[in-house]
Amino acid sequence: MIQPDNSSPGPWFVAAGVAPDASGRLIVQDRDEKPVCATSARGVQGRTEAMAANAALIAAAPDMFAALIAALEWIEDDRFDDDYIGEDWYHDAVAAVRMAGA
């Protein structure tokens, strides 16, 4: 799987359950079960649904990143009409990959 330099290896997954109080958190771990990050109910004003959604999005990041890289490579290998490379969404995708450090 393609990943940004110095990132934790994917896939990532949400490893811990929601604690019963508003200061609970969810841990996102890498494939070696090392923590990547934690989301906190405190950071979303106790809204555990938002905390869970944030953790799920973070856990999906390596797979989404690899899919974006594959799509860009497919476009750049002339499998798509060259007009797409001039589109804003293409440049947004390239900027997102660069922001991720790749």
Side-chain angles (χ1 to χ4, degrees), residues 62-96:
D63 294 329
M64 290 189 301
F65 183 75
L68 182 58
I69 291 287
L72 289 173
E73 288 172 353
W74 194 73
I75 292 166
E76 292 165 357
D77 285 346
D78 291 328
R79 294 185 189 126
F80 232 90
D81 188 319
D82 284 340
D83 291 338
Y84 285 102
I85 291 178
E87 296 288 332
D88 288 342
W89 62 261
Y90 172 82
H91 296 288
D92 292 345
V94 170

Side-chain angles (χ1 to χ4, degrees), residues 28 39 44 49-59:
V28 177
T39 59
V44 291
E49 299 85 14
M51 177 183 64
N54 290 342
L57 180 61
I58 292 165

Side-chain angles (χ1 to χ4, degrees), residues 5-33:
D5 293 339
N6 299 315
S7 69
S8 298
W12 295 348
F13 58 97
V14 179
V18 177
D21 60 47
S23 64
R25 61 185 183 158
L26 292 172
I27 307 296
V28 177
Q29 293 181 335
D30 68 14
R31 65 178 179 217
D32 298 323
E33 298 184 4

